[in-house]
Amino acid sequence: MKKLFLSIVSFCAFLNTTAQAQTKNNTELIALATYIDSSVESQTSAATNALMNKLNQIVSASGLSSNYSRFILTANVTPRTKDVLGTAPTTIAYTMDVTFYIGDGIDGTKFGSITKTVKGVGSNESLAMSNAFKMINSADKDLQNFIVKGKEKIINFYNTRCDFIIKEAKMLEMQNQYDEALYRLTSVPDVCTSCYTKAMTAAESAYLKKINFDCKTQLQEAKLLWAANPTTEGANAVSEMLSGIDSRANCYAEVKTFVTTVAKRVKELDGREWKLKVDTELGLEQQRIKAMRDIGVAWGNGQPKSVTYNVGGWW
């Protein structure tokens, strides 16, 4: 009986460990941005970079980081003691509470917080603060559990607001803002199974509209370019402009007709064969998914680095 009890306990422990591992693996797929509010920056002064580096380390240790995301990890600093040590040269000793927050920086919803008390010594205040921030262990178990719990709330955000996210993306499509629409849709992590499926279906629709829009725009620009410079050099510029057009675009047949005209002229000019190189791999599903995500990531990375998030009332 004792052996059976031990076996049951061991099995339960195994299930618990497995569940924790699955949760950790799921949350690792959630990307966070790091942010320091201006009110905190004014307190930390020249030590702000050290605090930002620590935030980045914590995020990297827990999975994915992002240059732009509505979900953020931020921190506030509260000095507890400041001592001037009577040594030669004089040094400053700080004891500080660093409170970390995770939440939705767009809606201003705080998901949770955790405080770590650290100490640092330096020849001036900034160096003492920097040394204190460096004492924070980015792999600290409590910190990482805090991140995991916060990311679980992010997963819940996607699951409960899925229809609204897709509706917002549709509105962006109507304004020809396809890149941002794809960013929002492809930001849904695949661990949110139901929402992810809906989002990818909507992303496919947005992507098709984008390639149709881009095809018309780029073809028109290529025609203007060719009309202004109907030479071999102009043909090469046309090729570069049209090479990214997806073969599934509605105007692709028109592209091929135009390319035939250009090729005929190049043949007349110098007797060379000229062909447009097109990425045929985009027709494959995995390549399309990657292309959609790449567009979204590029849009996110192109956002201003000085985004001001809504953290009012978080501390």
Side-chain angles (χ1 to χ4, degrees):
M1 189 69 176
K2 186 176 181 180
K3 289 183 179 179
L4 177 59
F5 175 75
L6 289 174
S7 296
I8 292 174
V9 170
S10 299
F11 180 65
C12 289
F14 168 76
L15 289 178
N16 184 53
T17 301
T18 302
Q20 289 178 345
Q22 289 176 338
T23 299
K24 187 172 187 291
N25 290 335
N26 287 346
T27 57
E28 282 178 349
L29 300 174
I30 307 293
L32 290 173
T34 53
Y35 174 67
I36 295 180
D37 192 63
S38 58
S39 61
V40 178
E41 188 173 2
S42 64
Q43 291 181 16
T44 55
S45 187
T48 302
N49 286 339
L51 179 57
M52 178 59 84
N53 288 338
K54 188 54 62 176
L55 290 174
N56 290 332
Q57 289 172 15
I58 293 170
V59 168
S60 296
S62 66
L64 301 175
S65 60
S66 173
N67 289 336
Y68 178 83
S69 172
R70 70 180 300 142
F71 303 107
I72 60 172
L73 176 68
T74 188
N76 186 35
V77 179
T78 306
R80 296 179 65 177
T81 63
K82 173 187 172 184
D83 299 312
V84 179
L85 305 180
T87 57
T90 300
T91 56
I92 306 295
Y94 260 123
T95 300
M96 301 183 300
D97 286 339
V98 181
T99 304
F100 298 93
Y101 301 85
I102 189 171
D104 185 337
I106 302 300
D107 287 349
T109 303
K110 179 179 69 176
F111 293 156
S113 63
I114 187 173
T115 299
K116 289 292 176 178
T117 301
V118 291
K119 298 180 179 181
V121 178
S123 57
N124 55 55
E125 291 188 11
S126 297
L127 189 56
M129 279 190 177
S130 294
N131 289 335
F133 296 146
K134 291 176 183 178
M135 294 302 295
I136 300 169
N137 180 9
S138 58
D140 178 86
K141 184 178 179 181
D142 292 338
L143 269 176
Q144 290 304 312
N145 286 337
F146 158 72
I147 296 293
V148 168
K149 289 178 181 179
K151 287 186 174 183
E152 287 172 354
K153 292 184 179 181
I154 293 174
I155 292 174
N156 184 63
F157 168 90
Y158 282 115
N159 287 332
T160 57
R161 297 188 59 180
C162 190
D163 291 341
F164 181 73
I165 292 169
I166 293 174
K167 183 179 179 180
E168 280 187 324
K170 294 289 185 183
M171 292 178 65
L172 289 168
E173 283 182 38
M174 293 173 63
Q175 300 166 27
N176 295 333
Q177 297 181 41
Y178 303 109
D179 291 9
E180 184 177 356
L182 286 168
Y183 167 79
R184 298 198 181 199
L185 294 169
T186 58
S187 292
V188 177
D190 56 9
V191 295
C192 307
T193 310
S194 177
C195 186
Y196 175 78
T197 301
K198 293 178 182 178
M200 291 309 294
T201 299
E204 177 74 13
S205 173
Y207 181 69
L208 287 173
K209 290 177 182 177
K210 174 181 170 57
I211 64 175
N212 288 335
F213 179 83
D214 287 351
C215 184
K216 289 181 180 179
T217 302
Q218 292 170 11
L219 178 59
Q220 182 62 31
E221 291 177 354
K223 285 181 176 180
L224 291 174
L225 177 63
W226 178 246
N229 186 20
T231 64
T232 301
E233 182 183 40
N236 291 335
V238 164
S239 178
E240 185 176 348
M241 183 173 291
L242 298 179
S243 62
I245 290 180
D246 193 305
S247 59
R248 296 184 303 158
N250 289 340
C251 75
Y252 190 69
E254 190 179 348
V255 170
K256 290 198 293 185
T257 300
F258 172 63
V259 166
T260 300
T261 301
V262 175
K264 182 179 179 181
R265 177 56 180 163
V266 172
K267 182 77 170 179
E268 292 172 353
L269 288 172
D270 59 14
R272 289 191 308 111
E273 295 291 336
W274 180 87
K275 292 183 179 180
L276 175 66
K277 294 181 180 179
V278 178
D279 187 359
T280 57
E281 293 293 316
L282 287 176
L284 302 175
E285 182 180 4
Q286 291 302 319
Q287 290 295 327
R288 290 202 311 274
I289 292 174
K290 182 179 183 302
M292 290 187 292
R293 284 178 172 162
D294 286 348
I295 291 169
V297 169
W299 183 88
N301 289 340
Q303 298 313 295
K305 303 303 180 186
S306 57
V307 178
T308 300
Y309 288 101
N310 179 13
V311 294
W314 287 24
W315 55 78

